[in-house]
Amino acid sequence: MRRRRLVSLALVVALDGVTDPRNLGAVIRSAGAFGASGVLIPERRSAGVNAAAWKTSAGAAARVPVARATNLVRALQELKDAGCFVVGLDGGGPTVIGDLPVADGPVVLVAGSEGKGLSRLVLQTCDVVAAIPIASSVESLNASVAASLALYEVARQRAEAPSA
């Protein structure tokens, strides 16, 4: 019963400016591992599902839908209008990923590029910006690692939530 409830909740990973196909493949693999509904990438300034992404996904690219958006901000706004809560991942975010109060509903996790993070307009579109606490000796996490940790945290919170 619990598994059916988790599957019915939307969980999407959106990537903002991730240009390395290996990072895309790793995100697709993690999305499959943690029950995400799919991955959303922009048409421009983004890696596509090529041979490198496919190989890194270890076959998950065959099972996890990947959608391309002409305009990522507009697509995120449409997801918000449909009832999804959009969570941006940023090391300077005021909310700790473990304290997300929205994991029990439809969620979109947005990870930015390794060098620039989330773009200004994407950041403004997010309902909340969450940080993953890391040691101060490391500047930031790789986009695919951050997305994987956030996916795990949402899956963990959903599994611990009382059944309705």
Side-chain angles (χ1 to χ4, degrees):
M1 183 70 153
R2 176 174 282 172
R3 185 171 181 90
R4 190 174 312 130
R5 180 176 172 263
L6 294 180
V7 172
S8 67
L9 294 176
L11 176 56
V12 175
V13 179
L15 300 178
D16 180 20
V18 174
T19 58
D20 185 339
R22 292 171 303 227
N23 281 333
L24 173 58
V27 168
I28 294 169
R29 186 174 185 175
S30 294
F34 293 110
S37 311
V39 176
L40 177 63
I41 57 175
E43 283 184 357
R44 289 180 268 148
R45 294 179 295 281
S46 175
V49 183
N50 61 18
W54 187 274
K55 182 176 180 180
T56 307
S57 80
R63 296 180 301 282
V64 177
V66 178
R68 292 201 97 146
T70 303
N71 183 308
L72 184 59
V73 171
R74 193 174 318 134
L76 292 174
Q77 189 59 54
E78 289 172 5
L79 287 165
K80 285 174 67 167
D81 293 344
C84 290
F85 198 82
V86 178
V87 178
L89 302 175
D90 185 279
T95 303
V96 175
I97 195 74
D99 295 337
L100 276 181
V102 297
D104 61 341
V107 176
V108 179
L109 300 170
V110 188
S113 69
E114 295 81 7
K116 299 176 186 171
L118 297 172
S119 66
R120 180 183 57 81
L121 291 176
V122 167
L123 198 58
Q124 290 173 349
T125 305
C126 295
D127 293 307
V128 69
V129 180
I132 299 169
I134 59 174
S136 61
S137 62
V138 177
E139 187 176 315
S140 66
L141 293 172
N142 173 287
S144 63
V145 172
S148 297
L149 289 169
L151 282 163
Y152 167 79
E153 183 57 31
V154 170
R156 184 192 68 75
Q157 288 183 29
R158 287 180 175 186
E160 290 180 357
S163 297

